[in-house]
């Protein structure tokens, strides 16, 4: 599924007719297994404060990419260490250095800004927070080049976790993620990337895994070594079974809103595999109508599939089945952040999912995060009217819709030890959508 505006013929016609079409940049994407060599070809520089954080990043990243400070180079990645900047006056140097480098950046590059809140000093707190606004604005300026800008708030995080997160956000697995602020906290475990499969011996469930984003997520989890159980409705048996066969996984056909669905899924998984490491709550539906015209049935079906069934299934494994630091990912939506006309039910269910992931992160030893896709090219969005579809694609910093694989790569990262330290976040995969920005 590629964007029709990126078709060379359409480009040629638009150029010949002088049409001001927003031709989106072709994004570099990498769907190979995560590896130590993920960003080895990238020229990366670290600028900003020279403190303990930048020293340890230099040490860790030195063997993973081409770390350079030669300004005649064009960079594929710029890491801006803004931690420790305390006063408004100090931001001038930050501005000058960032400005000097920004013209020295390749297409499809990655900018990552690091901040660290200092709650003991009010001005410093405000200054650190200001870099979040800086990141969001910069992401909008760079989008036309296919370049992304994201922000890591590294409060309490340990260097290995910072480096692992940087690895993902510098990689071509994060091409459709931009303008995001991600919080990294301290955790008790951390894994450096190796050439071994990241998710070897892990057992994973993906609900709604027969097609779309769920199917792409199942493929990524399998690629990284997990045994994947695809849970989907019986009507999706052909797709679910075919995919299960392809990825050497299992298909478990059930409507997750059924009363005993959670118990049945748990029984199946525990009898067959004895534990659950990863749960991706992905199944979702839309039943759009304005509030005035929405039926109770439309409200209930969306709330039940998108939220209640995920809560039931997750709670069932919290009671029994999850390994200690299991990973749970909940599919939200930018509609759950910004709201959308005709989607009071859907937006409520997705905001609820963000809240539920956050609540798990605060009350259990499980790592839980929400992923909020923007406009992604799937069966769910295929049925939208053309005008709405085009709006969804073009009203974004990257001027295009995303692919299920873009969301799947983030799900894979959040399901892996690489994301230790990221807990209770909601990360958008929306190409910098103006909706809810
Ligand atoms: N596609 C997008 O642009 C987009 C944007 C934001 C959020 N999302 C969210 O991402 C998730 C996946 O979206 P998608 O576009 O791949 O959707 P999709 O419609 O292509 O696939 C959804 C899958 O969920 C399954 N499912 C639905 N109800 C179920 C039930 N009761 N029990 C078991 N399985 C059930 C379906 O059979 C289907 O296989 C959803 O939660 C959706 O809300 C998608």
């Amino acid at each position: 599924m590629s964007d029709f505006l990126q078709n060379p013929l359409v480009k040629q016609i638009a150029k010949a007719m002088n049409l001001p079409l927003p031709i989106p940049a072709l994004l570099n994407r990498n769907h190979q297994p995560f590896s130590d060599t993920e960003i080895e070809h990238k020229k990366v520089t670290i600028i900003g404060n020279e403190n303990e954080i930048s020293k340890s990043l230099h040490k860790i990243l030195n063997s993973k990419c081409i770390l350079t400070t030669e300004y005649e180079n064009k960079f594929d990645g710029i890491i801006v260490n803004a931690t420790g900047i305390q006063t408004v006056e100090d931001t001038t140097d930050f501005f000058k250095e960032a400005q000097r480098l920004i013209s020295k950046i390749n297409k499809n590059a990655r900018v990552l800004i690091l901040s660290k809140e200092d709650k003991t000093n009010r001005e410093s707190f405000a200054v650190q927070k200001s870099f979040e606004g800086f990141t969001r604005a910069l992401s909008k300026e760079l989008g036309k080049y296919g370049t992304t800008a994201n922000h890591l708030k590294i409060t309490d995080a340990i260097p290995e976790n910072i480096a692992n997160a940087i690895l993902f956000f510098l990689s071509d697995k994060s091409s459709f993620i931009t303008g995001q602020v991600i919080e990294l906290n301290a955790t008790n475990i951390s894994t450096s990337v190796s050439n071994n499969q990241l998710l070897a011996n892990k057992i994973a469930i993906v609900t709604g895994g027969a097609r779309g984003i769920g199917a792409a997520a199942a493929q990524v989890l399998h690629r990284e070594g997990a045994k994947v159980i695809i849970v989907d409705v019986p009507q999706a048996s052909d797709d679910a079974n075919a995919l299960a066969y392809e990825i050497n996984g299992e298909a478990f056909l059930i409507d997750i809103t059924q009363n005993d669905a959670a118990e049945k899924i748990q029984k199946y998984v525990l009898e067959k595999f004895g534990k659950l490491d990863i749960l991706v709550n992905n199944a979702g539906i839309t039943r759009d109508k304005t509030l005035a015209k929405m039926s109770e049935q439309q409200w209930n079906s969306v709330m039940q599939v998108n939220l209640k069934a995920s809560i039931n299934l997750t709670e069932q494994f919290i009671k029994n089945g999850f390994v200690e630091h299991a990973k749970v990912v909940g599919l939200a939506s930018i509609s759950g952040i910004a709201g959308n006309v005709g989607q009071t039910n859907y937006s409520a269910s997705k905001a609820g999912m963000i809240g539920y992931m956050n609540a798990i992160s605060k009350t259990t030893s499980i790592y839980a995060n929400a992923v909020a896709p923007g406009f992604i090219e799937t069966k769910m969005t295929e049925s939208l009217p053309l005008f709405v579809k085009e709006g969804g694609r073009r009203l974004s910093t990257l001027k295009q819709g995303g692919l299920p694989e873009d969301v799947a790569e983030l799900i894979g990262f959040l399901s892996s030890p690489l994301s230790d330290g990221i807990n209770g976040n909601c990360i958008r995969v929306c190409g910098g959508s103006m909706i809810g920005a």
Side-chain angles (χ1 to χ4, degrees), residues 221-398:
L221 298 178
H222 160 70
R223 183 193 73 196
E224 300 301 333
K227 177 63 114 183
V228 183
I229 300 128
I230 297 158
V231 172
D232 212 304
V233 290
Q235 301 90 297
S237 64
D238 285 357
D239 285 347
N241 285 324
L243 181 58
Y245 180 75
E246 182 193 320
I247 65 174
N248 193 23
E250 309 268 330
F252 191 83
L253 300 171
I254 196 164
D255 180 333
I256 55 168
T257 61
Q258 207 177 290
N259 270 343
D260 54 356
E263 286 96 331
K264 281 191 169 150
I265 297 167
Q266 181 199 42
K267 188 165 182 281
Y268 175 80
V269 171
L270 294 189
E271 278 180 8
K272 211 149 184 196
F273 304 106
K275 60 155 187 174
L276 186 66
D277 301 278
I278 297 159
L279 172 59
V280 182
N281 285 309
N282 163 79
I285 58 167
T286 50
R287 297 288 181 269
D288 296 358
K289 278 275 181 274
T290 54
L291 182 60
K293 293 188 181 147
M294 189 177 291
S295 68
E296 192 177 320
Q297 204 273 332
Q298 284 166 328
W299 172 268
N300 283 338
S301 57
V302 168
M303 291 300 277
Q304 288 297 322
V305 176
N306 295 7
L307 186 58
K308 184 67 186 187
S310 300
I311 295 176
N312 286 346
L313 187 57
T314 313
E315 293 298 324
Q316 194 70 30
F317 281 99
I318 289 176
K319 266 189 250 158
N320 182 25
F322 271 137
V323 298
E324 192 189 359
H325 291 297
K327 302 265 180 178
V328 178
V329 180
L331 268 288
S333 164
I334 55 170
S335 297
I337 299 168
N340 213 1
V341 175
Q343 293 199 317
T344 48
N345 51 359
Y346 186 74
S347 302
S349 70
K350 294 302 185 182
M353 178 64 93
I354 296 169
Y356 182 55
M357 291 300 112
N358 198 264
I360 295 176
S361 76
K362 294 209 156 69
T363 53
T364 74
S365 65
I366 292 164
Y367 296 127
N369 292 285
V371 166
F375 186 91
I376 306 295
E377 310 278 357
T378 68
K379 284 249 161 56
M380 187 183 258
T381 48
E382 202 176 273
S383 54
L384 293 170
L386 181 69
F387 178 72
V388 178
K389 261 198 298 219
E390 277 305 278
R393 288 180 183 130
R394 310 303 163 203
L395 282 175
S396 67
T397 300
L398 296 175

Side-chain angles (χ1 to χ4, degrees), residues 5-46:
L5 284 183
Q6 285 164 338
N7 180 309
L9 188 63
V10 176
K11 268 190 189 172
Q12 226 176 353
I13 295 169
K15 207 168 164 197
M17 294 175 72
N18 222 2
L19 289 174
L21 289 181
I23 307 281
L26 273 171
L27 304 183
N28 289 346
R29 290 177 161 104
N30 174 4
H31 302 306
Q32 297 305 309
F34 278 114
S35 88
D36 231 359
T37 56
E38 193 73 35
I39 57 166
E40 65 172 3
H41 58 287
K42 297 207 180 222
K43 285 194 212 95
V44 177
T45 192
I46 303 175

Side-chain angles (χ1 to χ4, degrees), residues 39-298:
I39 57 166
E40 65 172 3
H41 58 287
K42 297 207 180 222
K43 285 194 212 95
V44 177
T45 192
I46 303 175
I47 62 166
N49 263 5
E50 281 182 24
N51 54 18
E52 283 310 309
I53 291 168
S54 44
K55 269 189 218 147
S56 61
L57 287 183
H58 267 108
K59 219 160 102 190
I60 297 171
L61 291 174
N62 204 19
S63 59
K64 307 225 190 276
C65 57
I66 308 162
L67 263 192
T68 172
T69 51
E70 295 156 34
Y71 285 166
E72 63 272 14
N73 281 328
K74 278 217 167 194
F75 298 109
D76 305 303
I78 301 179
I79 299 170
V80 189
N81 179 11
T83 66
I85 299 181
Q86 301 217 316
T87 66
V88 172
E89 287 68 31
D90 286 346
T91 64
T92 309
D93 285 343
F94 163 88
F95 157 75
K96 287 203 284 204
E97 207 168 355
Q99 187 183 53
R100 181 153 47 96
L101 278 190
I102 215 64
S103 57
K104 307 220 170 218
I105 194 161
N106 282 322
K107 284 186 176 164
N108 266 290
R110 307 273 173 262
V111 179
L112 267 181
I113 288 122
L114 310 186
S115 73
K116 187 171 184 178
E117 281 175 358
D118 173 3
K119 292 199 169 110
T120 60
N121 178 313
R122 286 189 288 273
E123 179 169 351
S124 148
F125 187 85
V127 166
Q128 289 295 307
K129 192 85 184 156
S130 74
F131 298 122
E132 293 180 23
F134 174 87
T135 307
R136 293 193 183 101
L138 186 62
S139 74
K140 292 193 160 74
E141 292 182 14
L142 298 177
K144 59 179 174 232
Y145 308 110
T147 290
T148 64
N150 290 299
H151 185 116
L152 294 179
K153 274 170 81 167
I154 57 174
T155 316
D156 297 334
I158 58 172
E160 287 77 8
N161 285 349
I162 302 170
N164 284 341
I166 285 178
L167 204 65
F168 177 78
F169 286 101
L170 283 186
S171 80
D172 292 336
K173 290 185 165 65
S174 64
S175 340
F176 202 63
I177 305 173
T178 192
Q180 297 307 292
V181 176
I182 297 118
E183 268 186 55
L184 258 168
N185 290 303
T187 49
N188 44 358
I189 44 171
S190 125
T191 309
S192 59
V193 199
S194 76
N195 284 322
N196 296 325
Q197 285 185 299
L198 261 188
L199 302 177
N201 306 318
K202 305 279 184 202
I203 308 297
I205 290 179
V206 181
T207 66
R211 70 177 201 201
I213 292 170
Q219 272 157 331
V220 166
L221 298 178
H222 160 70
R223 183 193 73 196
E224 300 301 333
K227 177 63 114 183
V228 183
I229 300 128
I230 297 158
V231 172
D232 212 304
V233 290
Q235 301 90 297
S237 64
D238 285 357
D239 285 347
N241 285 324
L243 181 58
Y245 180 75
E246 182 193 320
I247 65 174
N248 193 23
E250 309 268 330
F252 191 83
L253 300 171
I254 196 164
D255 180 333
I256 55 168
T257 61
Q258 207 177 290
N259 270 343
D260 54 356
E263 286 96 331
K264 281 191 169 150
I265 297 167
Q266 181 199 42
K267 188 165 182 281
Y268 175 80
V269 171
L270 294 189
E271 278 180 8
K272 211 149 184 196
F273 304 106
K275 60 155 187 174
L276 186 66
D277 301 278
I278 297 159
L279 172 59
V280 182
N281 285 309
N282 163 79
I285 58 167
T286 50
R287 297 288 181 269
D288 296 358
K289 278 275 181 274
T290 54
L291 182 60
K293 293 188 181 147
M294 189 177 291
S295 68
E296 192 177 320
Q297 204 273 332
Q298 284 166 328

